[in-house]
Amino acid sequence: MPIVVDVDVMLARRKMSVGELAERVGITPANLAVLKNGRAKAVRFTTLAALCEVLDCQPGDLLRWEPETGQPETGQPETRAGAGTAGDTVAAVGESA
């Protein structure tokens, strides 16, 4: 996935454990691990805001985009059949769907 999550970098800078961050943000350590390890498909803005508040950082300190290996950098979004339709439901880190 071209979105890279740098929560572990901010945790190291703040000398904070995953458990402490999860408790202060109000999410489970398991959900934080999903986000931290890059397995999350989405993150709620409320969760992102809480992470930024606790870690005293900006969203760009936690998330960055890197092109996928082998993908041309055209500047155009990738399109797939059925992707991004209005009826799609995505489970987000921080709340169950």
Side-chain angles (χ1 to χ4, degrees):
M1 173 175 274
I3 301 297
V4 179
V5 181
D6 288 327
V7 169
D8 53 347
V9 172
M10 292 306 296
L11 281 170
R13 287 182 182 164
R14 302 297 187 255
K15 297 181 178 154
M16 187 181 297
S17 70
V18 172
E20 180 183 353
L21 179 60
E23 184 177 324
R24 291 178 61 184
V25 169
I27 62 175
T28 67
N31 277 345
L32 183 56
V34 167
L35 178 62
K36 188 170 99 53
N37 296 324
R39 294 187 319 262
K41 299 294 182 202
V43 65
R44 294 187 186 281
F45 279 3
T46 54
T47 302
L48 183 58
L51 286 165
C52 290
E53 182 177 352
V54 170
L55 292 170
D56 189 28
C57 66
Q58 294 293 313
D61 296 327
L62 300 176
L63 304 172
R64 62 188 159 88
W65 177 82
E66 287 187 356
E68 291 188 58
T69 307
Q71 294 285 335
E73 292 187 46
T74 64
Q76 297 296 318
E78 179 183 333
T79 57
R80 296 187 336 245
T85 61
D88 288 350
T89 302
V90 177
V93 170
E95 293 187 28
S96 59

